[in-house]
Amino acid sequence: GEDVEQSLFLSVREGDSSVINCTYTDSSSTYLYWYKQEPGAGLQLLTYIFSNMDMKQDQRLTVLLNKKDKHLSLRIADTQTGDSAIYFCAESIRRDDKIIFGKGTRLHILP
Amino acid sequence: GAVVSQHPSRVICKSGTSVKIECRSLDFQATTMFWYRQFPKQSLMLMATSNEGSKATYEQGVEKDKFLINHASLTLSTLTVTSAHPEDSSFYICSPDRETQYFGPGTRLLVL
């Protein structure tokens, strides 16, 4: 069945890079997403990657996809206090299909 | 600015009452709306898909008579939690079916 797994917590010092990892089971996943949820707020789409890509970079964010291992990662360079949030990995087969979410990784920034 | 709004943002109700949550798309027409539910420290789960002018499609395990969804217009979809119980306390989020995945700000429901 469809499943998305990610670690629940990550602590990183301010200024360091954060790497959040995710694995998924559905090999037919076409779209892979990273969402950010700040306390008390809804989800915000950070970035997404097509399954035929292996890397996408957008400013401080770098997404790496290993389709063979069904492994997705989100790297945040120069982590700031404003990056403190829960990050959700998600996948869907089509762009207009339902999205399957992981449980979210809570990123904690250490001073 | 926001493209999807939800009302109310937070609601506290007594057990047994019904609560209606509105989701509005502000700048566009949404023929399809996804409704998600998020439990504390858990992932978002898709509850149902509402389609303008027709019946909603519910995910397995979601009681359609308890979670009533109405999508009467292209800019408004509503989720009504009927006879709410404490276990219905959760964060409910809507998302229109669009090229870019927008989400509403969410409605936090607390049933006492």
Side-chain angles (χ1 to χ4, degrees), chain A residues 23-48:
Chain A
T23 57
Y24 58 98
T25 57
D26 193 344
S27 58
S28 57
S29 298
T30 304
Y31 296 89
L32 296 138
Y33 309 87
W34 283 104
Y35 290 89
K36 178 182 181 181
Q37 185 180 30
E38 297 185 35
L43 293 174
Q44 171 195 359
L45 176 64
L46 282 179
T47 186
Y48 65 91

Short mmCIF file of all heavy atoms in Angstrom, two decimals, chain A residues 23-48:
data_model
loop_
_atom_site.label_atom_id
_atom_site.label_comp_id
_atom_site.label_asym_id
_atom_site.label_seq_id
_atom_site.Cartn_x
_atom_site.Cartn_y
_atom_site.Cartn_z
N THR A 23 11.23 8.25 3.07
CA THR A 23 11.14 7.11 2.16
C THR A 23 9.67 6.87 1.84
O THR A 23 8.79 7.15 2.65
CB THR A 23 11.74 5.83 2.77
OG1 THR A 23 11.08 5.55 4.01
CG2 THR A 23 13.22 5.98 3.01
N TYR A 24 9.43 6.36 0.65
CA TYR A 24 8.06 6.08 0.24
C TYR A 24 8.02 4.70 -0.39
O TYR A 24 9.05 4.13 -0.77
CB TYR A 24 7.55 7.16 -0.73
CG TYR A 24 8.37 7.32 -1.99
CD1 TYR A 24 7.98 6.70 -3.18
CD2 TYR A 24 9.52 8.08 -2.00
CE1 TYR A 24 8.72 6.83 -4.33
CE2 TYR A 24 10.27 8.22 -3.15
CZ TYR A 24 9.88 7.60 -4.32
OH TYR A 24 10.62 7.74 -5.46
N THR A 25 6.83 4.14 -0.47
CA THR A 25 6.73 2.76 -0.93
C THR A 25 6.13 2.62 -2.33
O THR A 25 6.38 1.63 -3.00
CB THR A 25 5.87 1.93 0.04
OG1 THR A 25 4.58 2.54 0.16
CG2 THR A 25 6.52 1.87 1.42
N ASP A 26 5.35 3.61 -2.74
CA ASP A 26 4.63 3.46 -4.00
C ASP A 26 5.54 3.80 -5.18
O ASP A 26 5.88 4.96 -5.40
CB ASP A 26 3.40 4.37 -4.00
CG ASP A 26 2.43 4.06 -5.13
OD1 ASP A 26 2.83 3.36 -6.09
OD2 ASP A 26 1.29 4.52 -5.07
N SER A 27 5.93 2.82 -5.94
CA SER A 27 6.87 3.05 -7.04
C SER A 27 6.23 3.84 -8.18
O SER A 27 6.92 4.34 -9.06
CB SER A 27 7.40 1.72 -7.57
OG SER A 27 6.32 0.89 -8.00
N SER A 28 4.90 3.93 -8.17
CA SER A 28 4.24 4.70 -9.22
C SER A 28 4.09 6.17 -8.87
O SER A 28 3.47 6.93 -9.62
CB SER A 28 2.87 4.09 -9.55
OG SER A 28 2.07 4.04 -8.39
N SER A 29 4.64 6.56 -7.73
CA SER A 29 4.60 7.98 -7.35
C SER A 29 5.28 8.82 -8.41
O SER A 29 6.39 8.53 -8.82
CB SER A 29 5.29 8.20 -6.00
OG SER A 29 4.65 7.48 -4.98
N THR A 30 4.61 9.86 -8.82
CA THR A 30 5.16 10.71 -9.87
C THR A 30 5.61 12.05 -9.32
O THR A 30 6.59 12.62 -9.77
CB THR A 30 4.12 10.92 -10.97
OG1 THR A 30 3.70 9.65 -11.45
CG2 THR A 30 4.67 11.75 -12.10
N TYR A 31 4.85 12.55 -8.35
CA TYR A 31 5.16 13.83 -7.75
C TYR A 31 5.53 13.63 -6.29
O TYR A 31 4.84 12.94 -5.56
CB TYR A 31 3.95 14.77 -7.83
CG TYR A 31 3.57 15.12 -9.24
CD1 TYR A 31 2.66 14.32 -9.94
CD2 TYR A 31 4.10 16.24 -9.87
CE1 TYR A 31 2.32 14.63 -11.25
CE2 TYR A 31 3.75 16.55 -11.17
CZ TYR A 31 2.87 15.75 -11.85
OH TYR A 31 2.53 16.06 -13.14
N LEU A 32 6.61 14.27 -5.89
CA LEU A 32 7.07 14.17 -4.51
C LEU A 32 7.22 15.59 -3.98
O LEU A 32 7.81 16.44 -4.64
CB LEU A 32 8.38 13.40 -4.43
CG LEU A 32 8.16 11.95 -4.90
CD1 LEU A 32 9.28 11.48 -5.76
CD2 LEU A 32 7.98 11.04 -3.69
N TYR A 33 6.64 15.82 -2.81
CA TYR A 33 6.51 17.18 -2.29
C TYR A 33 7.18 17.32 -0.93
O TYR A 33 7.30 16.36 -0.17
CB TYR A 33 5.03 17.53 -2.08
CG TYR A 33 4.11 17.30 -3.25
CD1 TYR A 33 3.52 16.05 -3.45
CD2 TYR A 33 3.80 18.33 -4.13
CE1 TYR A 33 2.65 15.84 -4.51
CE2 TYR A 33 2.92 18.13 -5.18
CZ TYR A 33 2.35 16.88 -5.36
OH TYR A 33 1.49 16.69 -6.41
N TRP A 34 7.54 18.55 -0.65
CA TRP A 34 7.92 18.93 0.71
C TRP A 34 7.05 20.11 1.12
O TRP A 34 6.99 21.11 0.41
CB TRP A 34 9.39 19.31 0.81
CG TRP A 34 10.30 18.13 0.83
CD1 TRP A 34 11.09 17.68 -0.18
CD2 TRP A 34 10.55 17.24 1.93
NE1 TRP A 34 11.79 16.56 0.21
CE2 TRP A 34 11.47 16.27 1.50
CE3 TRP A 34 10.05 17.17 3.24
CZ2 TRP A 34 11.93 15.25 2.33
CZ3 TRP A 34 10.49 16.15 4.06
CH2 TRP A 34 11.44 15.20 3.62
N TYR A 35 6.39 19.96 2.27
CA TYR A 35 5.55 21.01 2.82
C TYR A 35 6.12 21.46 4.16
O TYR A 35 6.73 20.69 4.89
CB TYR A 35 4.12 20.51 3.05
CG TYR A 35 3.35 20.26 1.80
CD1 TYR A 35 3.39 19.01 1.17
CD2 TYR A 35 2.58 21.26 1.24
CE1 TYR A 35 2.67 18.78 0.02
CE2 TYR A 35 1.86 21.03 0.08
CZ TYR A 35 1.91 19.79 -0.53
OH TYR A 35 1.21 19.56 -1.67
N LYS A 36 5.85 22.70 4.49
CA LYS A 36 6.26 23.26 5.78
C LYS A 36 5.02 23.69 6.54
O LYS A 36 4.14 24.32 5.97
CB LYS A 36 7.19 24.47 5.55
CG LYS A 36 7.65 25.18 6.82
CD LYS A 36 8.52 26.38 6.45
CE LYS A 36 9.02 27.11 7.70
NZ LYS A 36 9.84 28.30 7.33
N GLN A 37 4.97 23.34 7.81
CA GLN A 37 3.86 23.78 8.64
C GLN A 37 4.41 24.46 9.88
O GLN A 37 5.04 23.84 10.74
CB GLN A 37 2.98 22.59 9.05
CG GLN A 37 1.74 23.02 9.82
CD GLN A 37 0.88 21.85 10.23
OE1 GLN A 37 1.37 20.75 10.44
NE2 GLN A 37 -0.42 22.08 10.32
N GLU A 38 4.14 25.75 9.96
CA GLU A 38 4.55 26.50 11.14
C GLU A 38 3.48 26.37 12.21
O GLU A 38 2.33 26.03 11.90
CB GLU A 38 4.81 27.95 10.76
CG GLU A 38 5.97 28.06 9.76
CD GLU A 38 6.35 29.49 9.44
OE1 GLU A 38 6.26 30.35 10.34
OE2 GLU A 38 6.72 29.76 8.30
N PRO A 39 3.83 26.61 13.47
CA PRO A 39 2.86 26.39 14.56
C PRO A 39 1.54 27.11 14.33
O PRO A 39 1.51 28.30 14.03
CB PRO A 39 3.60 26.96 15.78
CG PRO A 39 5.04 26.82 15.44
CD PRO A 39 5.14 27.04 13.95
N GLY A 40 0.45 26.40 14.43
CA GLY A 40 -0.88 26.98 14.32
C GLY A 40 -1.29 27.34 12.91
O GLY A 40 -2.37 27.91 12.70
N ALA A 41 -0.49 27.02 11.93
CA ALA A 41 -0.79 27.42 10.56
C ALA A 41 -1.04 26.21 9.68
O ALA A 41 -0.76 25.08 10.05
CB ALA A 41 0.37 28.24 9.99
N GLY A 42 -1.58 26.46 8.51
CA GLY A 42 -1.78 25.38 7.55
C GLY A 42 -0.49 25.03 6.85
O GLY A 42 0.58 25.52 7.19
N LEU A 43 -0.60 24.18 5.88
CA LEU A 43 0.58 23.73 5.16
C LEU A 43 0.99 24.72 4.08
O LEU A 43 0.15 25.35 3.46
CB LEU A 43 0.32 22.38 4.51
CG LEU A 43 0.11 21.21 5.45
CD1 LEU A 43 -0.28 19.99 4.67
CD2 LEU A 43 1.36 20.94 6.25
N GLN A 44 2.27 24.79 3.87
CA GLN A 44 2.80 25.63 2.81
C GLN A 44 3.68 24.76 1.92
O GLN A 44 4.59 24.09 2.41
CB GLN A 44 3.64 26.75 3.44
CG GLN A 44 4.44 27.58 2.45
CD GLN A 44 5.51 28.41 3.13
OE1 GLN A 44 5.65 28.39 4.34
NE2 GLN A 44 6.28 29.13 2.35
N LEU A 45 3.39 24.75 0.63
CA LEU A 45 4.22 23.97 -0.27
C LEU A 45 5.57 24.65 -0.42
O LEU A 45 5.67 25.80 -0.81
CB LEU A 45 3.54 23.87 -1.64
CG LEU A 45 4.35 23.13 -2.72
CD1 LEU A 45 4.56 21.68 -2.35
CD2 LEU A 45 3.66 23.25 -4.08
N LEU A 46 6.62 23.89 -0.09
CA LEU A 46 7.98 24.43 -0.23
C LEU A 46 8.51 24.18 -1.63
O LEU A 46 9.03 25.08 -2.28
CB LEU A 46 8.92 23.75 0.78
CG LEU A 46 8.86 24.20 2.22
CD1 LEU A 46 9.84 23.41 3.05
CD2 LEU A 46 9.13 25.69 2.34
N THR A 47 8.41 22.95 -2.04
CA THR A 47 8.96 22.56 -3.33
C THR A 47 8.43 21.19 -3.69
O THR A 47 7.89 20.47 -2.85
CB THR A 47 10.51 22.58 -3.30
OG1 THR A 47 11.01 22.34 -4.61
CG2 THR A 47 11.05 21.52 -2.36
N TYR A 48 8.57 20.84 -4.94
CA TYR A 48 8.21 19.49 -5.37
C TYR A 48 9.16 19.06 -6.46
O TYR A 48 9.87 19.88 -7.06
CB TYR A 48 6.76 19.43 -5.85
CG TYR A 48 6.50 20.23 -7.10
CD1 TYR A 48 6.62 19.66 -8.37
CD2 TYR A 48 6.11 21.57 -7.01
CE1 TYR A 48 6.37 20.40 -9.51
CE2 TYR A 48 5.87 22.31 -8.15
CZ TYR A 48 6.00 21.73 -9.40
OH TYR A 48 5.75 22.47 -10.52
#
